[in-house]
Amino acid sequence: MTPSIPKGTRDFGPEQMARRNYIFDTIKSVFRKFGYAQIETPAQENLSTLLGKYGEEGDKLLFRILNSGDAFAGVDMSQDSRQLSSCICEKGLRYDLTVPFARFVVQHQNDLVFPFKRFQIQPVWRADRPQKGRYREFYQCDADSIGSKSLLGELEMVQMVDEVFDRLGVRVCLKVNNRKVLAGIAQACGHPDKMMDITVAIDKIDKIGIEKVEAELMERGLDSKAIEIIRPALTLSGDTRGKLATMRAMLASSETGSCGLDEIEQLFDLIEAAGVKCAVELDFSLARGLNYYTGAIFEVKAMDYQIGSICGGGRYDNLTGIFGLKDMSGVGISFGADRIYDVLTGLDLFPESLAVSTDLLFANMGSAEARWVVGIAAALRRKGISCEVYPDSVKLKKQFDYASRKGIPFLSICGESEMQGDTVNIKNLSSGEQLSFAADDLDGIISVICKNQSK
Amino acid sequence: MTPSIPKGTRDFGPEQMARRNYIFDTIKSVFRKFGYAQIETPAQENLSTLLGKYGEEGDKLLFRILNSGDAFAGVDMSQDSRQLSSCICEKGLRYDLTVPFARFVVQHQNDLVFPFKRFQIQPVWRADRPQKGRYREFYQCDADSIGSKSLLGELEMVQMVDEVFDRLGVRVCLKVNNRKVLAGIAQACGHPDKMMDITVAIDKIDKIGIEKVEAELMERGLDSKAIEIIRPALTLSGDTRGKLATMRAMLASSETGSCGLDEIEQLFDLIEAAGVKCAVELDFSLARGLNYYTGAIFEVKAMDYQIGSICGGGRYDNLTGIFGLKDMSGVGISFGADRIYDVLTGLDLFPESLAVSTDLLFANMGSAEARWVVGIAAALRRKGISCEVYPDSVKLKKQFDYASRKGIPFLSICGESEMQGDTVNIKNLSSGEQLSFAADDLDGIISVICKNQSK
């Protein structure tokens, strides 16, 4: 009989929200510092906007919304399920923030300043099979810059990654590659048409290891000679300069490949000029599954915690083409809030004071006393102190409990004698220290509370 | 061919988002100051949670989500549309934040600290006919305190209204009434069973006027003698004390009515003790349509702008009863963000600086120069300054335009000579004033930017 929520969805209580807001607020403030402005798009998009953008598998994972009114009126009920569902559902819930962003840019192109730098933090919905760490509703947290081909865009993504994780206290390694290099490798091994097959196979290297990747490449039609050529790309070690030199020789004949290597080299030079602090590693085996990337690709891993990538992105040359706006190159990044949450929890990196919302609780010692402290509480709030008056005149034990469970650091117990004497006492609930002030000495009360906060 | 969004939904661009965030941030910080903690619930709820909670009309306005997988598998297609839709849809989008809140409290009752004070700011969806000011997706912005019958709960709602609108600079009048008084009126006029009919009719007084309200009361089965008794309640003027005295005499025989008047009197006394600044008016014709209110009810109107109520709320005694948890009295309030947005726009009350996200733009004078300023920009960001490097080395006119359209106040144009001389110039784009600094004199640059901000 207890009510429940749909599987794969979550409620977030006060503590979780404080932690989630800490992550989102950190990311937002970094996005803003680089000139990215927030936008929001509706949860529902027309299915014509969403269908065909995420592959056949993605189309199946879209949540569809039944047309309002009588959805079946005039519908031929003898159609198959597939046709039927497209008759009775014209809208779906957004599956990611990238397609709505492309739709937004095309729809509002005349009102936007290009390069258009936007960030967007909203939930997305996928009818995936729920499992540990995979939800049917989750937040995405994206920044994109669209309307310029400059590598300064890639640099900004790297800098934002660096600053976000520095502020959160997470040591990370940012891996970089370039899709043009992957195209070059496909050319070099004699299968320029198989670039996507190679990418999809290589993308799994972290999960399944090199041997299984090679097996998959065979399955996808590459012969052992081609695989001989690809192998060094997957296993190359050493410093960036050395990796680049080896790959330059391998891809000398491929113009695209060489161009990708130039871009990587220039990006590493800019990263040095900007003084990026986190580790940045060139990894030719980095592929990223998404089809729309055409240039640089990134992925971020936490160094001290075992989990998949916590952030990723890349350059795309034709995101808005599907909606009719050509030649809009862009670069974007997406932070994985749920995984970052797990990393901060696992490494115990959330600040302790996050959950505390109230500085001071006034106990309720009866209606006359409550009426009196209500005025003092109001005066303290006007000076920026967050406080509550316990609503009911119940046993002190219960009121203490309330303060302690909510993590409220100070309690004031003003009974008849305090009211008569016009004094307010303030008890520090962790140290037990108790001080008394004249009721109009607000600054005295505030100084005690603020001294505790700055600890 | 231009892509579009479903009717009744909206995109929010950077300027609108900045304004909306200003409203939400103001409300959030006030909620927190009174000890309310944020929660979030999923967009999708089971239809069993939502159905029957909003009346028959509300059920029709729920957006239903097609079951994932093959929704029609095994479904008897000969059923009528209504039965069919309940077979193929098990979930719906939330219609408000109140029912999900009640569901949350019941589901997590063992983990919550009571009185549980939560706020929630999330979108809701209604398949209403879209019209001016009415959307199919809009944010609600609610605070509720549940688990205490104390009138200090009502007082907090009044205080939060007072502080929110004071901070936003909107002069408001908060109207107060009590459902028990309405029940008392129903008893006094001999129709205790018609309290809801009377409430529904009275609720329309602002829209349709007293004569049409009386006509509706007749239609709903009240005779002219009963209406004679109700009329003074709708037209009573004078000060609070006088209104209370008149109504006390009228409702002397009704225990419920007298209790409602006691509560009103005590609430006004607490409002005085707390030093609430906004106008608070006792209005016996205030009814509010929602069925679940059982005690105090509130409504807020802007004094200098013609629009419906911009905030409302009240006391409910049995919100969680529908989910099996009895005796949980609570009080809540909801701010109407869209209307508040219209009021602030209409009265020109949004702060001017809201949209500016970037303090300083470095022009791009070529790749060597860009590489050089990237380092300076990074150093400034580390000190908290928000800056951008224009990505492409295009005509200065275009770069100026970018700064001006984004409202960026400062532009730095560092060419070869600045790079050679290790100096940075900063131009104030509104005053035209230009200053030059040694490239490592970050504090000099920052002081110019901050001086401008504090204006």
Side-chain angles (χ1 to χ4, degrees), chain A residues 347-363:
Chain A
L347 298 176
D348 199 16
L349 289 173
F350 282 110
E352 254 185 50
S353 58
L354 281 185
V356 183
S357 66
T358 304
D359 299 314
L360 170 62
L361 174 70
F362 286 94

Side-chain angles (χ1 to χ4, degrees), chain B residues 174-452:
Chain B
L174 186 143
K175 293 185 175 195
V176 177
N177 195 10
N178 194 301
R179 277 284 169 90
K180 290 175 187 159
V181 173
L182 293 170
I185 292 172
Q187 286 169 8
C189 72
H191 292 281
D193 54 315
K194 292 225 184 291
M195 187 224 166
M196 276 319 298
D197 288 279
I198 295 173
T199 305
V200 168
I202 288 183
D203 196 36
K204 300 178 184 165
I205 194 163
D206 266 11
K207 282 187 194 151
I208 62 176
I210 186 151
E211 278 165 33
K212 285 189 178 157
V213 167
E214 291 187 2
E216 183 167 335
L217 287 170
M218 298 277 259
E219 268 171 46
R220 286 173 182 268
L222 274 77
D223 55 24
S224 56
K225 211 178 115 196
I227 290 174
E228 284 301 313
I229 296 173
I230 293 173
R231 187 173 304 135
L234 305 184
T235 54
L236 215 55
S237 64
D239 65 358
T240 305
R241 192 183 298 251
K243 286 180 192 167
L244 279 169
T246 311
M247 196 57 90
R248 276 223 187 270
M250 260 184 71
L251 303 185
S253 64
S254 157
E255 203 181 319
T256 308
S258 302
C259 170
L261 292 168
D262 288 346
E263 288 183 12
I264 290 173
E265 196 163 352
Q266 286 166 41
L267 178 56
F268 270 88
D269 177 55
L270 286 170
I271 287 170
E272 195 191 327
V276 168
K277 286 184 284 183
C278 72
V280 184
E281 187 194 321
L282 173 56
D283 181 354
F284 290 122
S285 78
L286 176 68
R288 289 191 64 72
L290 292 169
N291 283 344
Y292 50 76
Y293 292 128
T294 51
I297 44 182
F298 318 104
E299 207 161 273
V300 179
K301 295 241 171 175
M303 295 181 89
D304 307 312
Y305 193 80
Q306 197 63 33
I307 202 166
S309 88
I310 54 179
C311 177
R315 161 79 58 183
Y316 42 82
D317 275 338
N318 199 21
L319 198 62
T320 57
I322 39 173
F323 298 117
L325 182 63
K326 304 281 179 212
D327 293 323
M328 271 286 174
S329 186
V331 58
I333 201 150
S334 184
F335 286 84
D338 287 310
R339 285 192 178 165
I340 294 172
Y341 188 100
D342 290 343
V343 171
L344 295 185
T345 305
L347 299 176
D348 199 17
L349 289 173
F350 282 112
E352 255 185 49
S353 58
L354 282 184
V356 183
S357 66
T358 304
D359 299 315
L360 170 62
L361 174 70
F362 287 94
N364 190 322
M365 308 300 288
S367 61
E369 290 85 349
R371 189 191 185 281
W372 183 64
V373 296
V374 148
I376 299 166
L380 284 170
R381 286 196 201 99
R382 263 174 233 123
K383 296 202 162 221
I385 299 298
S386 147
C387 45
E388 299 183 49
V389 179
Y390 194 86
D392 300 295
S393 164
V394 294
K395 280 192 188 138
L396 260 182
K397 165 85 174 64
K398 201 172 172 190
Q399 304 192 43
F400 258 104
D401 248 34
Y402 177 84
S404 124
R405 288 191 61 191
K406 271 190 95 167
I408 301 175
F410 292 96
L411 178 67
S412 174
I413 305 171
C414 296
E416 208 185 334
S417 65
E418 282 78 12
M419 188 168 66
Q420 301 298 343
D422 220 24
T423 58
V424 172
N425 57 54
I426 304 285
K427 189 184 177 80
N428 181 323
L429 289 179
S430 58
S431 72
E433 187 187 16
Q434 187 160 328
L435 290 164
S436 185
F437 298 89
D440 61 359
D441 181 14
L442 300 177
D443 291 339
I445 299 170
I446 292 168
S447 73
V448 173
I449 290 169
C450 293
K451 208 197 296 173
N452 188 63

Side-chain angles (χ1 to χ4, degrees), chain A residues 242-280:
Chain A
K243 287 179 193 168
L244 278 169
T246 311
M247 195 57 88
R248 278 226 184 267
M250 260 183 71
L251 303 186
S253 63
S254 158
E255 202 180 320
T256 310
S258 301
C259 170
L261 293 169
D262 288 345
E263 288 183 10
I264 291 173
E265 198 163 350
Q266 286 165 39
L267 178 57
F268 270 89
D269 177 56
L270 286 170
I271 287 171
E272 196 191 326
V276 169
K277 287 183 284 183
C278 71
V280 184

Side-chain angles (χ1 to χ4, degrees), chain A residues 123-135:
Chain A
V124 302
W125 295 270
R126 298 182 184 180
D128 242 324
R129 190 179 300 276
Q131 56 185 59
K132 190 179 176 302
R134 192 200 282 164
Y135 305 101

Side-chain angles (χ1 to χ4, degrees), chain B residues 69-87:
Chain B
D70 182 355
F72 294 96
V75 170
D76 169 9
M77 300 298 281
S78 66
Q79 299 173 90
D80 67 27
S81 320
R82 204 190 166 111
Q83 292 167 319
L84 209 48
S85 87
S86 53
C87 282

